[in-house]
Amino acid sequence: MNGVTSSILCAVTILLHLADGDIYLHNPRGSNNRLDESSRARANGNNIFDSQNNERGGYNVGSLFYYQGSTLSVEWTNQHSCHDTNNHCELVLQYMCHDNIRDGVSTQTIPTNPALCANYNCDLDRKYRMHEDSSHYFQCLYRQRNKGIFTADQNMNNRERARNTRQNPAGTRRGYECPEERDYYPYWHPSPWVDIAVMTNDVSRCHYYRNESQNVKSKWDCVFPKAVMDKFKVNRVNVQLPNNEEDCKKFELPAKIKSDIRKPQWVEFPAHGVAAPDCRETDFTRDNHLGNGIGGYPNMFNWTIPNNVEHENCILRIRYNISTSDYDGWTANSSFNANPRRRNDGAKVPLADRFGFESEEIAKERGYIFKNNPVVNVFDGLDLDLRLAVNTAQFGRTFQDRSHTFAIRKRPDWLQGQTVHNLNVRGKRGNIVQVYPAVEYDFVPNDLEVAVGDYVHMQWTGSNTNPRNNDGQGLAGTDRNNLILLTAQKFAEGSGTADYRGAKHGHYGTNYPMRAENSTFLGLSQEDALTLAFLDPGQFRGEVSELDDAGTYFNLSPRKTTSAGTYQYMCTRNNNFSNRDQKGRVVVNASPFKREAIGQMGGEVALDNGAARMSVEENTFSSLKNVRLEKWSVSEGEAAMSRVNRALGAGDDYASDFVVLQPENLIEEGDDDKFFTLRIQLSDDSDDVDVYYAPSDFSAWSKADAHVGGGVATVRAQHGGVYVARSKSNVGMIVGVVIACVVVVVIVSGAVFYFRRNPTKWQAVKTNCRNAERSMKNKV
Ligand SMILES: *[C@@H]1O[C@H](CO)[C@@H](O)[C@H](O)[C@H]1NC(C)=O
Ligand SMILES: *[C@@H]1O[C@H](CO)[C@@H](O)[C@H](O)[C@H]1NC(C)=O
Ligand SMILES: *[C@@H]1O[C@H](CO)[C@@H](O)[C@H](O)[C@H]1NC(C)=O
Ligand SMILES: *[C@@H]1O[C@H](CO)[C@@H](O)[C@H](O)[C@H]1NC(C)=O
Ligand SMILES: *[C@@H]1O[C@H](CO)[C@@H](O)[C@H](O)[C@H]1NC(C)=O
Ligand SMILES: *[C@@H]1O[C@H](CO)[C@@H](O)[C@H](O)[C@H]1NC(C)=O
């Protein structure tokens, strides 16, 4: 090998320099800076925020409205993994609402020069999309950046404002977003964004996030009145507003600016005054696999739409922050920065120890330097080098997507106090190659489980300006959706476990819909079924076989589910077996249930009306669990037991409903000293009650560790499974009577089946037995 070409340069991809698809919001639809353009690539990546995403991502439109307190399954895909060993990852979900927030009608970036806007006021010029307002941006533009921050070996010379960051050293502008605010969370200056949730690989930071969130903590900034700020630009002066109280109080305007007000004020911006954000573990995704999480479904966060907000113009924001373990992003600070005059020597991030070099000097000689594109000598003594694709601006990088505007509306009276689930459509017209990194059509949540009596709010939207050659049925370029019931699965058999829905086998009525006269969807009326099929009213006659004449937007106001069952459905227009599949499922559960993601930070899941509540203290669970709490009536519980030929021998009579907690495995092995609390409402105030526990297959009942008082049993528990309270017998006579009743009810062959179908009869027998018990008791 000759000396001149002794280096073989080989790019080892650690992080690609080109953005190649990173976080995409699918429900609500993320814009990725798109606004109805018909081109495959978005028109302007700097339109309103810095996404760092691939230009092909995003949806053209996406405005829907949600009722206060309803559940919205926020779905996204992220590309570079989460909850995996290959990076540190945070997902930060926020929203904001304001009268001036708008999607606009142009893909041009909103100007900063008021002369370019209608009435000399860009904040009010509805031509341009606006999220944050101009004062947010101008504060950022003129404020000194946080000099304590790690900027690695990036060129920060004369880049001194909050718009210059390690990830955006040149301070490129996107809308009125502030780069420093974007790159860092929780931010130390005011931000209009209200925090919803932080999901992180490192929940030990949760207290910090929750404390520092502007939801609960006021923030400060050094401000001049707008009229004074406007002069900075006109005078082209290099004003640098201090970012701390001390300097702010000392600051005075340079002499060449004429102004009556010469000193800024250090102003407190109040907290948003809402609860601190949820903070929990992230879900697993593999890197370089933009797609689904474990189990094949997209990762999601079920957002309860805030009850205290009523607004027509809101935006949802998701940030995806990944950092490498090559340095500690959370402790590295400016003392690690490269010498500004010798940036090629790299940042002062120690690498020697980690790779077993005797000193940093020796590590440096071998090319182990924290800087852009280092060339490393891996094989000692061999003159062969490898070039690493390192970009310190992206070695720790935040991606982002934001929704189109949506509304949060007050509930009408008839919806007060009800549980409301949003059911929407994601995806856009085209095959997977044409739409990627967006997705093909699908319903969201694809697999929705509700309880009988819950409301489902079906609503979707789409665009008429998809690329005209994208595959799909109906008029070129258009999105349309409908919802039609499929037939039941062919082979259905209860497995007899506590999951009383049972195991089902075989396919649903595949690609032909169910005859409408034989069916109901969720118990809805035939009229609703017609509306869902033809998107009518909204369109009177016209071409409806492929819905071409219907609009892109559809809303069936919330409907009450009245009929338990599993409903598999499809969209007749878009479903095209072997090309595209648009099917979904709603399970209407006969019994009430609630679900909550609970991890190391603890949490609570409670059934309505206090029937049962599970509370988990911090540091009880060692990983995130999707906890589901369900209530069965006594007859349902008995039926489930009888299906596997099990019975609960202990105790006399039921003193509560059956409470079913899933998953079974809640406390990890080795955490035997940890417990959570399960509170079960009892049928009366009697203290003579024991709580029994069985795994979901009822294989063995045992007495739970419960404290009883005031009509409530408080169980110290470690397992998911089935819990039920039974009254204790103190008197032989009572036992006799109760056993007699139980014998009559249970032993008679076929009785359980009978009572399962006729629960009121069972209730009657039970009440008689209870009355018998009471009357005996009274006599004692
Ligand atoms: C940087 O971090 C080190 C320790 O990690 C600390 O001692 C030092 O005070 C920090 N410097 C700044 C400027 O924050
Ligand atoms: C991203 O992580 C870095 C640490 O690597 C942290 O300093 C920054 O605040 C985080 N930003 C966001 C938006 O989460
Ligand atoms: C959060 O705030 C609480 C209450 O003020 C305080 O006790 C705790 O130390 C703080 N934790 C962190 C990590 O900042
Ligand atoms: C969110 O809601 C969907 C739809 O009901 C459900 O399938 C999913 O399990 C829920 N996830 C959590 C963590 O509650
Ligand atoms: C189904 O989709 C394929 C691919 O887009 C298309 O060629 C075919 O015509 C579609 N089928 C019908 C009946 O429209
Ligand atoms: C469907 O409905 C028709 C007419 O109402 C009835 O004759 C038929 O038996 C039903 N089929 C099923 C499978 O229920």
Side-chain angles (χ1 to χ4, degrees):
M1 181 143 307
N2 85 45
V4 185
T5 56
S6 64
S7 302
I8 295 172
L9 296 183
C10 167
V12 177
T13 305
I14 292 174
L15 272 174
L16 298 176
H17 284 215
L18 295 172
D20 77 323
D22 303 289
I23 190 156
Y24 301 98
L25 199 50
H26 298 296
N27 195 54
R29 292 164 178 254
S31 78
N32 195 36
N33 282 309
R34 292 187 77 90
L35 184 64
D36 233 0
E37 49 263 52
S38 55
S39 49
R40 189 143 289 158
R42 66 185 167 202
N44 176 9
N46 295 345
N47 177 243
I48 189 67
F49 62 95
D50 182 8
S51 78
Q52 302 262 317
N53 284 343
N54 187 287
E55 60 182 12
R56 284 197 175 190
Y59 295 93
N60 275 350
V61 293
S63 293
L64 299 178
F65 77 93
Y66 310 106
Y67 283 113
Q68 291 177 341
S70 64
T71 307
L72 176 65
S73 290
V74 176
E75 270 189 19
W76 69 88
T77 43
N78 57 251
Q79 162 73 349
H80 302 290
S81 86
C82 234
H83 208 89
D84 189 21
T85 47
N86 284 351
N87 73 33
H88 299 295
C89 164
E90 280 91 42
L91 289 151
V92 181
L93 273 167
Q94 297 170 305
Y95 76 96
M96 69 166 159
C97 304
H98 193 277
D99 291 347
N100 292 341
I101 288 178
R102 59 196 178 242
D103 295 322
V105 293
S106 159
T107 56
Q108 265 179 57
T109 306
I110 188 167
T112 50
N113 181 354
L116 301 174
C117 293
N119 298 322
Y120 211 70
N121 189 339
C122 294
D123 284 349
L124 297 180
D125 188 343
R126 302 198 73 83
K127 174 178 169 194
Y128 300 106
R129 182 184 261 170
M130 192 178 87
H131 294 171
E132 294 94 341
D133 64 10
S134 62
S135 68
H136 177 78
Y137 183 69
F138 284 122
Q139 278 305 123
C140 177
L141 181 63
Y142 292 114
R143 185 173 55 231
Q144 184 182 54
R145 65 181 174 82
N146 182 339
K147 296 286 182 61
I149 275 179
F150 177 59
T151 53
D153 62 333
Q154 293 299 309
N155 180 6
M156 305 305 288
N157 294 340
N158 297 319
R159 293 168 168 179
E160 305 297 348
R161 318 274 199 56
R163 72 180 221 251
N164 308 108
T165 62
R166 177 179 49 80
Q167 293 180 64
N168 186 11
T172 307
R173 181 172 74 89
R174 280 96 178 180
Y176 289 157
E177 185 176 54
C178 175
E180 194 179 74
E181 182 274 345
R182 173 199 179 277
D183 292 358
Y184 297 92
Y185 176 86
Y187 193 44
W188 38 86
H189 291 299
S191 155
W193 295 99
V194 182
D195 300 330
I196 299 169
V198 183
M199 290 166 263
T200 170
N201 284 10
D202 183 0
V203 284
S204 72
R205 268 200 299 275
C206 279
H207 286 289
Y208 163 72
Y209 285 131
R210 290 170 56 88
N211 279 5
E212 293 299 317
S213 160
Q214 203 183 335
N215 286 13
V216 297
K217 184 177 177 177
S218 66
K219 305 276 166 164
W220 297 76
D221 207 355
C222 189
V223 299
F224 273 111
K226 185 171 183 306
V228 180
M229 299 281 289
D230 286 348
K231 293 182 184 170
F232 299 173
K233 220 176 172 115
V234 176
N235 290 278
R236 292 172 189 275
V237 285
N238 191 17
V239 175
Q240 219 185 91
L241 292 179
N243 61 7
N244 61 81
E245 181 173 11
E246 198 187 337
D247 294 340
C248 183
K249 288 186 166 154
K250 282 193 261 174
F251 186 88
E252 217 164 309
L253 276 186
K256 58 178 153 179
I257 300 182
K258 290 191 185 59
S259 171
D260 296 338
I261 301 169
R262 308 212 62 82
K263 286 169 126 340
Q265 299 219 313
W266 184 243
V267 172
E268 180 172 17
F269 291 74
H272 299 309
V274 297
D278 264 2
C279 188
R280 62 144 164 108
E281 291 86 347
T282 46
D283 291 302
F284 173 85
T285 47
R286 187 179 164 198
D287 47 0
N288 300 344
H289 285 73
L290 181 63
N292 300 328
I294 282 176
Y297 285 92
N299 285 343
M300 62 169 81
F301 176 84
N302 291 332
W303 182 31
T304 305
I305 302 290
N307 276 309
N308 61 332
V309 179
E310 185 186 355
H311 212 287
E312 287 300 301
N313 309 316
C314 302
I315 294 280
L316 184 78
R317 177 198 213 190
I318 188 167
R319 276 178 293 169
Y320 169 49
N321 186 23
I322 56 171
S323 31
T324 157
S325 312
D326 293 294
Y327 74 106
D328 183 349
W330 288 92
T331 57
N333 60 23
S334 55
S335 68
F336 294 77
N337 287 346
N339 180 335
R341 280 176 300 277
R342 299 175 57 183
R343 287 193 295 121
N344 204 33
D345 288 354
K348 298 171 196 116
V349 171
L351 295 175
D353 248 13
R354 180 177 280 215
F355 298 98
F357 294 114
E358 276 151 45
S359 68
E360 291 301 327
E361 281 64 43
I362 296 173
K364 283 208 154 86
E365 272 165 31
R366 294 279 295 270
Y368 286 76
I369 307 172
F370 198 89
K371 63 171 190 174
N372 282 350
N373 304 323
V375 177
V376 292
N377 178 239
V378 183
F379 300 93
D380 194 18
L382 266 185
D383 199 8
L384 287 172
D385 292 338
L386 292 168
R387 179 185 190 265
L388 305 183
V390 169
N391 179 354
T392 60
Q394 302 181 349
F395 237 40
R397 184 177 186 191
T398 303
F399 301 92
Q400 180 180 196
D401 204 355
R402 296 184 184 185
S403 71
H404 293 268
T405 55
F406 59 88
I408 297 179
R409 294 192 181 153
K410 230 189 167 80
R411 294 180 180 214
D413 285 345
W414 52 268
L415 208 54
Q416 294 298 334
Q418 307 297 337
T419 302
V420 183
H421 308 264
N422 289 288
L423 178 56
N424 310 121
V425 171
R426 68 175 202 171
K428 61 181 182 182
R429 185 192 186 88
N431 64 39
I432 186 59
V433 175
Q434 293 162 335
V435 299
Y436 190 85
V439 292
E440 295 182 271
Y441 298 119
D442 193 7
F443 293 96
V444 191
N446 180 276
D447 203 353
L448 173 65
E449 195 190 6
V450 308
V452 167
D454 286 359
Y455 281 70
V456 179
H457 185 186
M458 285 170 260
Q459 189 189 193
W460 50 78
T461 191
S463 155
N464 281 333
T465 55
N466 294 291
R468 293 182 62 80
N469 57 349
N470 276 12
D471 284 350
Q473 272 43 62
L475 203 61
T478 66
D479 293 322
R480 297 286 185 279
N481 296 275
N482 67 352
L483 193 160
I484 295 281
L485 187 68
L486 294 168
T487 56
Q489 269 166 305
K490 293 295 171 226
F491 320 104
E493 201 45 62
S495 75
T497 67
D499 179 7
Y500 81 102
R501 279 175 290 142
K504 304 246 176 170
H505 307 282
H507 296 286
Y508 283 84
T510 48
N511 296 294
Y512 281 84
M514 181 88 159
R515 288 174 59 176
E517 68 268 29
N518 287 89
S519 59
T520 167
F521 177 61
L522 318 178
L524 268 50
S525 66
Q526 283 289 313
E527 196 185 333
D528 283 345
L530 269 169
T531 306
L532 285 166
F534 296 106
L535 315 182
D536 176 39
Q539 170 61 30
F540 183 62
R541 298 186 185 153
E543 206 301 306
V544 287
S545 72
E546 286 192 308
L547 309 169
D548 281 343
D549 285 349
T552 48
Y553 174 76
F554 172 79
N555 173 40
L556 185 73
S557 74
R559 291 293 195 267
K560 186 176 188 161
T561 59
T562 55
S563 174
T566 300
Y567 302 91
Q568 184 91 0
Y569 57 87
M570 72 165 169
C571 165
T572 53
R573 167 170 150 134
N574 300 329
N575 194 69
N576 172 339
F577 183 67
S578 87
N579 289 288
R580 270 166 299 286
D581 191 88
Q582 190 182 355
K583 292 180 182 137
R585 180 163 79 150
V586 181
V587 176
V588 181
N589 203 9
S591 320
F593 72 95
K594 283 279 179 314
R595 211 197 273 278
E596 206 67 59
I598 303 180
Q600 202 183 312
M601 292 302 292
E604 197 169 89
V605 49
L607 294 173
D608 292 337
N609 307 322
R613 187 168 87 225
M614 180 220 208
S615 318
V616 185
E617 302 257 293
E618 196 179 329
N619 294 321
T620 305
F621 292 174
S622 53
S623 63
L624 193 67
K625 311 274 178 188
N626 193 340
V627 178
R628 187 177 184 285
L629 186 64
E630 180 167 357
K631 184 182 88 171
W632 293 352
S633 66
V634 163
S635 55
E636 281 178 309
E638 288 269 325
M641 275 195 289
S642 80
R643 253 177 279 146
V644 285
N645 297 319
R646 300 274 177 188
L648 168 49
D652 303 329
D653 191 10
Y654 290 104
S656 75
D657 290 311
F658 282 66
V659 172
V660 186
L661 187 61
Q662 280 162 332
E664 208 121 314
N665 202 351
L666 287 167
I667 307 270
E668 308 277 311
E669 236 170 90
D671 282 342
D672 305 342
D673 55 337
K674 299 195 171 156
F675 297 87
F676 58 87
T677 309
L678 184 63
R679 286 184 193 75
I680 302 174
Q681 197 170 61
L682 302 175
S683 13
D684 57 41
D685 280 351
S686 160
D687 288 351
D688 286 342
V689 163
D690 283 324
V691 175
Y692 293 90
Y693 154 80
S696 308
D697 60 2
F698 301 107
S699 50
W701 282 101
S702 54
K703 202 155 122 183
D705 176 2
H707 166 83
V708 174
V712 174
T714 306
V715 185
R716 220 168 133 246
Q718 290 188 306
H719 306 281
V722 185
Y723 290 83
V724 69
R726 301 271 288 172
S727 55
K728 294 190 249 201
S729 73
N730 292 321
V731 183
M733 282 288 276
I734 301 174
V735 177
V737 172
V738 173
I739 286 177
C741 285
V742 170
V743 167
V744 170
V745 173
V746 178
I747 305 296
V748 174
S749 152
V752 168
F753 186 70
Y754 173 77
F755 288 118
R756 209 172 114 205
R757 302 212 143 182
N758 304 278
T760 46
K761 301 259 166 58
W762 160 248
Q763 212 57 44
V765 173
K766 221 177 64 169
T767 313
N768 284 342
C769 289
R770 227 186 243 146
N771 289 346
E773 182 187 356
R774 288 218 179 91
S775 60
M776 295 311 282
K777 230 179 202 164
N778 288 344
K779 277 182 188 147
V780 172

